[in-house]
């Protein structure tokens, strides 16, 4: 979990179709990123590169529950750069490959947005997909759609809460869904799964959504306030 793996040179990931992202956090405080994992999906529809970076949280107070989950402690990140140092390396990759994947994207994109706001960094323009929603649509009969369950179903290697391994498994889930749909790209797979990508850009955020979530939102908006 504590072994770092550098972010590859931008030229090495040219042609990638998506980047899977996973954050581990020290606590619920803003800017509490303590680890980031990344996995690139190449045009040949396989994971071509992974990376793992340790990050010094803005608030160095680590909650015991978070430490129990990922095993990262204050002394492990004391001399690491804070989030802007990671961001300087990551942004060129997001500009080159502006599609992010995350398993439970509500969490990881929320962490990203909070960290950007804390440090006064303007959000990039990108689309993102939640592989929890993809897995629910593609394999609805699984007992749950947590990362270990879906990875185990698909035979994917996973060291859960090691951020690079989580990111690689997330990418593997997206690739498996593409294969199950017999589609060449993620975009081609989405209509059959009922998934709409989320969007992030300066001053705007739209969550990734499933068809059932959009139907529920439509029904809520049609109901009078006293019935909601």
């Amino acid at each position: 979990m504590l072994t770092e793996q550098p972010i590859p040179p931008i030229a090495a990931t040219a042609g990638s179709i998506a980047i899977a992202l996973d954050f581990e956090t020290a606590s619920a405080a803003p800017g509490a990123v303590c680890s980031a994992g990344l996995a690139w999906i190449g045009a040949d529809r396989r994971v071509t590169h992974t990376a793992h970076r340790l990050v010094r949280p803005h608030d160095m107070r680590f909650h015991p529950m978070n430490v129990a989950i990922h095993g990262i402690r204050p002394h492990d990140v004391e001399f690491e750069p804070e989030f802007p140092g990671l961001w300087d390396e990551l942004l060129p990759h997001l500009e080159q490959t502006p599609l992010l994947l995350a398993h439970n994207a509500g969490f990881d994109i929320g962490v990203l947005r909070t960290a950007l706001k804390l440090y006064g960094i303007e959000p990039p323009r990108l689309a993102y997909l939640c592989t929890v929603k993809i897995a629910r649509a593609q394999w609805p009969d699984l007992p749950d759609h947590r990362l270990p369950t879906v990875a185990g179903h698909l035979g994917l290697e996973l060291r859960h809460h090691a951020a690079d391994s989580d990111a690689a498994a997330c990418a593997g889930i997206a690739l498996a869904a593409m294969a199950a749909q017999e589609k060449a790209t993620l975009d081609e797979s989405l209509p059959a799964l009922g998934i709409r990508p989320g969007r992030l850009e300066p001053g705007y955020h739209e969550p990734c959504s499933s068809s059932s979530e959009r139907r529920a939102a439509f029904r809520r908006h049609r109901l009078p306030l006293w019935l909601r």
Side-chain angles (χ1 to χ4, degrees), residues 35-216:
S35 172
L38 302 156
W40 284 258
I41 297 178
D44 56 357
R45 290 179 287 171
R46 65 184 182 89
V47 176
T48 58
H49 298 83
T50 59
H52 179 233
R53 288 293 309 277
L54 294 172
V55 181
R56 177 187 170 94
H58 183 71
D59 183 341
M60 279 289 283
R61 289 175 293 185
F62 279 61
H63 194 285
M65 182 178 69
N66 294 61
V67 173
I69 289 171
H70 51 58
I72 300 171
R73 292 172 167 80
H75 67 266
D76 297 315
V77 298
E78 183 176 0
F79 300 108
E80 300 294 338
E82 291 194 29
F83 177 82
L86 168 69
W87 188 247
D88 288 344
E89 294 185 66
L90 179 55
L91 182 58
H93 288 271
L94 296 180
E95 292 173 336
Q96 177 176 266
T97 310
L99 176 62
L100 271 180
L101 307 174
H103 201 76
N104 187 16
F107 172 79
D108 293 289
I109 298 300
V111 169
L112 174 61
R113 294 176 66 210
T114 300
L116 292 171
K117 182 177 180 180
L118 176 69
Y119 291 101
I121 302 171
E122 185 173 75
R125 295 179 182 272
L126 55 83
Y128 69 90
L129 293 169
C130 177
T131 53
V132 169
K133 298 181 191 297
I134 289 173
R136 284 175 181 157
Q138 183 62 57
W139 302 286
D141 296 329
L142 293 180
D144 62 65
H145 294 88
R146 297 172 57 251
L147 190 58
T149 303
V150 184
H153 175 72
L154 297 174
L156 300 173
E157 181 181 347
L158 178 65
R159 293 172 288 112
H160 196 26
H161 295 300
D164 54 337
S165 183
D166 283 0
C170 170
I173 290 167
L175 288 168
M178 286 170 54
Q181 291 290 323
E182 299 182 342
K183 302 297 184 183
T185 68
L186 284 166
D187 286 344
E188 292 176 1
S189 305
L190 298 179
L193 297 173
I195 305 297
R196 180 180 294 168
R199 289 172 52 204
L200 180 63
E201 57 188 66
Y204 182 76
H205 173 237
E206 177 183 344
C208 176
S209 62
S210 65
S211 55
S212 60
E213 289 171 330
R214 294 192 297 275
R215 285 194 299 269

